[in-house]
Amino acid sequence: MKKNRIEMFKRIGILGLHRNSGVTHLTLLMAQYLSGCLGHKVTVLEKSGRNDLASLSNYYSVSEKWTNGFKLHGIQFLIKGNVTENDDYNNDFKNRCVLIDFGTNYKEVMEVKDKLDIVIFVFMNAPWYQAEDLLLRYMTDEKTQLKKTAICNMATKKSLTQGLKLPIRPSVLGLEPDFFNPTTEAIHLFESVLRID
């Protein structure tokens, strides 16, 4: 069910503070929210270097497929695209919401920071991931003036209050079993994180 259009950030970078934080999963959930719930045209770029998104076209029936990407659930996926290029597949970026899955590649974020409206840091609430230190460093990095937020993935608010001393209060997202069908909890979270105030 499509909601009334809300003014949202359109250039969204998603960065994991550690491996296996759920960046790709969160990217797919957010893409489905923007496309399926709000009716935006959405493009997803993979800049993690892992080719996780490319494997989606092998598991699902895709409506369109080409050398550098494919379309699935109305979302355009560019597996070899570049946010700075201007070719047949991304010359209409100005009319689309663009989500970039950076994996844990902070260097890549810094290279395109001027083209992003918001960076979402994703982490899991386990002390061995050392998310505290990275979150503090990235959130206070003065080289980036863009909006930043953090999401603790696969957690509960109660679990977040135990153990970690974080520099900010992150949003919390519980287990989302189907990344092409965000729950009400995920939808409310994305509304609050992506809405332009």
Side-chain angles (χ1 to χ4, degrees):
M1 177 180 254
K2 292 183 178 161
K3 296 186 172 191
N4 292 331
R5 290 224 178 199
I6 302 168
E7 191 60 31
M8 309 295 279
F9 289 112
K10 294 273 185 100
R11 304 291 174 269
I12 304 158
I14 304 173
L15 176 74
L17 295 182
H18 54 80
R19 293 292 294 272
N20 302 315
S21 58
V23 172
T24 301
H25 187 227
L26 187 70
T27 301
L28 294 173
L29 276 168
M30 197 171 283
Q32 184 61 34
Y33 162 70
L34 290 166
S35 175
C37 295
L38 297 185
H40 290 289
K41 290 182 180 178
V42 177
T43 295
V44 176
L45 296 176
E46 181 160 40
K47 303 300 285 179
S48 67
R50 293 178 43 89
N51 298 319
D52 292 335
L53 291 174
S55 66
L56 285 176
S57 66
N58 299 327
Y59 293 107
Y60 294 93
S61 298
V62 296
S63 56
E64 297 175 47
K65 193 172 184 177
W66 57 91
T67 305
N68 295 329
F70 59 94
K71 192 175 266 191
L72 176 63
H73 289 281
I75 301 165
Q76 176 178 261
F77 291 87
L78 297 181
I79 53 179
K80 296 179 183 172
N82 190 313
V83 73
T84 59
E85 290 175 358
N86 186 14
D87 59 30
D88 292 341
Y89 303 117
N90 59 18
N91 63 1
D92 63 343
F93 272 5
K94 64 181 177 290
N95 300 320
R96 291 182 165 271
C97 290
V98 178
L99 285 85
I100 306 173
D101 177 341
F102 286 106
T104 57
N105 193 345
Y106 186 64
K107 181 182 174 193
E108 189 79 37
V109 173
M110 296 307 291
E111 288 179 9
V112 298
K113 66 180 188 282
D114 296 336
K115 301 192 180 322
L116 299 174
D117 296 322
I118 186 172
V119 173
I120 299 170
F121 299 106
V122 184
F123 66 99
M124 290 179 67
N125 188 24
W128 52 86
Y129 286 129
Q130 301 176 345
E132 281 177 90
D133 297 336
L134 287 172
L135 192 57
L136 178 61
R137 185 172 64 173
Y138 292 163
M139 290 296 288
T140 58
D141 185 352
E142 294 180 3
K143 290 183 265 181
T144 57
Q145 299 301 316
L146 49 89
K147 183 170 172 58
K148 304 170 195 170
T149 191
I151 295 176
C152 185
N153 205 10
M154 292 180 269
T156 64
K157 289 181 181 176
K158 183 177 179 181
S159 70
L160 193 61
T161 61
Q162 301 168 352
L164 296 180
K165 293 181 174 61
L166 298 169
I168 62 157
R169 172 172 269 147
S171 300
V172 176
L173 184 63
L175 178 65
E176 291 285 325
D178 182 356
F179 44 71
F180 284 118
N181 188 18
T183 63
T184 303
E185 177 190 8
I187 289 170
H188 290 314
L189 172 63
F190 297 152
E191 282 176 353
S192 66
V193 166
L194 298 179
R195 185 190 302 258
I196 295 175
D197 297 327

